[in-house]
Amino acid sequence: MCLLATAHAARPRYGGMLTIETQAAIQSLDPMSVAADAPERALRARVTPLTFESLVAVDVDGGLRPMLALTWDRDSRAVRWRFRLRPAVKLHDGSTLSASAVAAAVAAQERAWHVGSTSDAVVIETDRPHPDLPWELADTRFAIAVRTATGALQGSGGFRVDKIEARRLVLRAFDDHWAGRPFVDSVQIEEDRSLTDQLSSVELGRADLVAVRPTDVRRVAQRGLRTAVSRPLDVLAIVFEPHRSGPIDEPVRLTIASSIDRAALASVLLQRQAEPALAVLPPWLSGYGAVFATYSPAPLAPAAIAALPIERRSFILRVEAADAVANEIGARVAVNAREAGVTITVQAPAGLAPRPDARLVRVKLEATTPDRALAGALMGFGPRVVALAGGLPTPGAGVPLDLVLGKELALLERQVIIPLVHVREVYALGERVESWNGPVVLGSGAWNLSNVWIRNEPAMKTARP
Amino acid sequence: MSLRARLLLSVSTSVAVTVILVTWTVSTSARRAFAALDTQRTAALVAQFRREFAAEGDRVAAQVERIAASDAAIRMAADILRSHGDYGVYVNEATAVAPAYGVELLDFVAPDGTIVSSAQWPARFGYRHAWISRMAASRLQRGADLRAIELPHGYELGLVAIRSVGAGERSLFIVGGRRLDQQFLRTLVLSPGMRVMLYRNVEPELSKHQLIDASGEVRNAAPLEPLIARIRQSGREAAEEVQWPDGPETIDGIPLTGSDGAPLGVLLVASSGRELAALVRRIRWSGFGFALVGIVFGVVVSYVVASRVTRPVERLAVAARSVAGGDWEVRIDDVAATAEIRELTRAFQSMTGQLVEQRERLLQAERVAAWRELARRLAHELKNPLFPLRLTIDNLRRARALPAREFDEVFDESLSTLGTGLVNLNTVISRFSDFSRMPPPHFARTSVNDLVEERLQLFRAQLQAPGRPLITLVTDLDGSLGTVEADPDQLGRAVQNLLLNAIDAMPAGGELAVRTRGAADTVRIIVADTGTGLTDEERRRLFTPYYTTKQHGTGLGLAIVQSVVADHRGRIWVESEAGRGTTFHVELPRERRS
């Protein structure tokens, strides 16, 4: 049996439908449209590349890999970039992708750029140096969607859109994909499913790929199912409200920050599916994690804390009522702070509630360059946090890494944001899900569905060697 | 105080005192009965609490025993003891296991006291229960103990049992139990009027938030705090009566101790005195009601009884007043009374009968005396003029022997004498005739002063006649006297008689004083002389007709005065002192009286 299983695992086959369940729902796959909220934006970041490919993409190791562009080069000032396109790339309607169509798609997304094309290349010229332009083009915002005369959008990805229904999206394998046809015939995405329902579905075999909470990893393992994880892509942090972000509360904020047992959060509550966070960006993304490893702020002594007025050492921490993990983390933070003499009341309101002093925020990071990731994270924390940074320059795309580090250090010193943990995206795989070459979920969080094949399905087609 | 008031007072007092005594006796008995019942109920409830507490302790110990014997606990113990501190995968184990075994409190604790998983405070993992690692092995197999349980929002009281899984020093501890809270208190069966409260002595200072009853935190805990503080300090049972706005409540406090003997809680068994107070109130109001009914009954009975006794007496009193007023003919008939009152009535009737009889006899005697007096006066008055007539007739008879001329002289002289005598006889007869024919008065507005002055004027010349003993006239007439309604002729005649009587009373001279005085409804005429005065006999018979002390008086002057005054509805009285004179007072009403 074991040998048979191994043989099955080693020999992928074509066919079958992969069922994915998601918590969010997608309103539109058009790269030009704007997502309604963060969950939809995150889901679109996973689904869009399956249909609409970009010039480059982030690979498993966090680097860039060619997609529609085979090679790229730039001038010495990084203001003129040329991307040589992969030849004979077919769109889903059977037409060939042209350089001019790619240039039009890119230009539609960023009108400040001067985008031109040659017979086999796209040339982008910017007003200022843009050394990380390929990283920016890796964003799903720059996925190439060609609008035909009928108004339909055509992509070049491994899957084409077959059906868009309420809370359901069906993708069909694209036979003429430049990298070869995906193994599965179709991918059905069931949307608007709670995490609990998703877990039940994968346990009952009704779904093949579902997102699970870190706290459910053990249960998944006990059911004999496998998990696929990304690199830590979510940052959980305490963000203080403006009325508690002033210098007067800074010693107490420092005390809270130093009291938190982040290792326990990561290893126990998040079941090792997270890493303690000392900065907003995870070390694998920023590269400067070691700078923070030795950072240890001096908390107030217990006697000094006890001497403070009760209102100064009391905080209301608001957490999302629907986020069970956040609730547990909030409770644990309250326990840690209590030992340090600070009272934190965790508030998970379903309706109106007193004004909180701080919020427990979960922000999804983009697997891109640190500057973009930090800018995106700060946007996720909210505009007030940017304002609380108090005159510090907000790092935009393309700023040097030292500026990004400086911003992080400034935030850390003021303790307006207390990073807690960086959490991986965790997916449970159904029993019949196999992967031919590479993981199902990449480190960047992208779904690597072209490599997925379905086991135990009737062998309709023979796998290519 | 009247007989009726006395009867009313005594009957009402008797009823009220009786009711008060009965009310007090019943109230006291009720209090004693309630106190005894309260003691029994409190003892029963405390016993019930101890039974429930012990039973719940056994139940908790059994539940924890079952958890310790479960495959999950044994597997977890083996894994934890092997992993040496990697407890992360079991962080939610207690939360999952606790409901399955029906325990509210459940901690899985590593050999070093580190909390691996906590059902009641999941976020508490990683912290240590230092006391567990120090606990003697013998105590692990005991039943459940009372223990202060730390929770996110403070301490609570729990009934906790501890078991270990593993061998020797390397054991996984299972600490399980239930809260001693309002849910537990709800399991106690309470008698009506009783309630039970629990103070959880888990904070250094007395905290009102730790006092709960079956419905949660006790709102008004302040009156109970002194009792709780006393028991916290002494560790002994105590009782106190607490006064609430709706009535008293007896509170018995029993300390609840932990395994080390420290008081961890105070059980407060409250027995309401509201029912007793309500009963006493009902008894009191019933007493008031009965007293009121009794008093009303007493009033009615007193009235009836008193009426039977006092009504005849009152009729007797009215009759006696009538008799005193001169109505001797009054009769009391149809008397419904007791024998004594009937005897008294008969005696009264007899008395009035005798009085009437005696009055008749007296009147008869007075009438005879008056006739005798009248006969005597008539005889006297007639005898005086008749005597000269008889002498004249005798002289005339003897004069027949005298010569004719002398006879004629005698005859003429005798005729003259006879004529004079007959005139005198006629005068006497006229006087008597006048008295008998006193006409009724003809009233008119009359000035008393003018009338008095007019009558005085008739006597001034006589008083001032030469050779007559001097009588000095003194007048003092009240100028503001005004008029009265009177018959001026009769009243003038009365005044004239008084003046004449006064002048006659002073044959040797003296002073005649005439005064008038006015009052609101009356006027008074006072005539005073300085004569010899009156004896008692004279004063008593002064107004008797035909009584006189004078040589030539008819005895009718003052009788006429009295008759006139009586016809004017006035009154007359006399003051006299022997040797100092006499004063007559005549008082007349200003208006006619009917």
Side-chain angles (χ1 to χ4, degrees), chain A residues 292-315:
Chain A
F292 296 93
T294 56
Y295 180 77
S296 58
L300 286 180
I305 287 286
L308 291 174
I310 182 71
E311 64 273 10
R312 290 273 316 279
R313 51 189 165 92
S314 298
F315 288 82

Side-chain angles (χ1 to χ4, degrees), chain A residues 240-290:
Chain A
F240 288 91
E241 293 292 300
H243 67 281
R244 300 305 298 265
S245 299
I248 191 170
D249 286 317
E250 193 172 316
V252 184
R253 296 199 302 269
L254 269 173
T255 304
I256 294 172
S258 59
S259 72
I260 296 170
D261 182 2
R262 293 173 174 80
L265 296 179
S267 63
V268 179
L269 287 185
L270 296 168
Q271 297 291 297
R272 301 183 184 280
Q273 302 306 320
E275 293 173 359
L278 298 175
V280 174
L281 299 183
W284 72 268
L285 202 157
S286 68
Y288 51 63

Side-chain angles (χ1 to χ4, degrees), chain A residues 23-28 33-45 192 362 364 380:
Chain A
Q23 200 170 9
I26 292 176
Q27 305 301 322
S28 170
S33 66
V34 178
D37 52 21
E40 187 192 357
R41 188 162 53 245
L43 182 58
R44 278 172 61 166
D192 207 10
R362 180 197 290 263
K364 190 165 287 297

Side-chain angles (χ1 to χ4, degrees), chain A residues 341-360:
Chain A
V342 180
T343 301
I344 291 182
T345 304
V346 180
Q347 178 194 79
L352 293 175
R355 182 176 67 160
D357 300 311
R359 290 175 292 128
L360 184 61

Side-chain angles (χ1 to χ4, degrees), chain B residues 474-493:
Chain B
V474 178
T475 58
D476 179 10
L477 305 182
D478 185 353
S480 61
L481 197 61
T483 62
V484 297
E485 205 166 3
D487 184 331
D489 290 337
Q490 290 190 9
L491 190 59
R493 194 168 158 191

Side-chain angles (χ1 to χ4, degrees), chain A residues 215 218 259 264-265 267-269 271-272 328 331-332 335-336 338-339 345, chain B residues 86 88-93 121 123-127 150-152 154-155:
Chain A
T215 50
R218 185 173 171 231
S259 72
L265 296 179
S267 63
V268 179
L269 287 185
Q271 297 291 297
R272 301 183 184 280
E328 290 180 7
R332 178 64 179 186
V335 172
N336 291 152
R338 186 172 182 265
E339 295 297 318
T345 304
Chain B
D86 183 13
V89 293
Y90 295 107
V91 68
N92 292 322
E93 196 71 16
W121 196 358
R124 185 96 168 124
F125 67 86
Y127 288 87
E150 193 177 10
L151 293 172
Y155 284 86

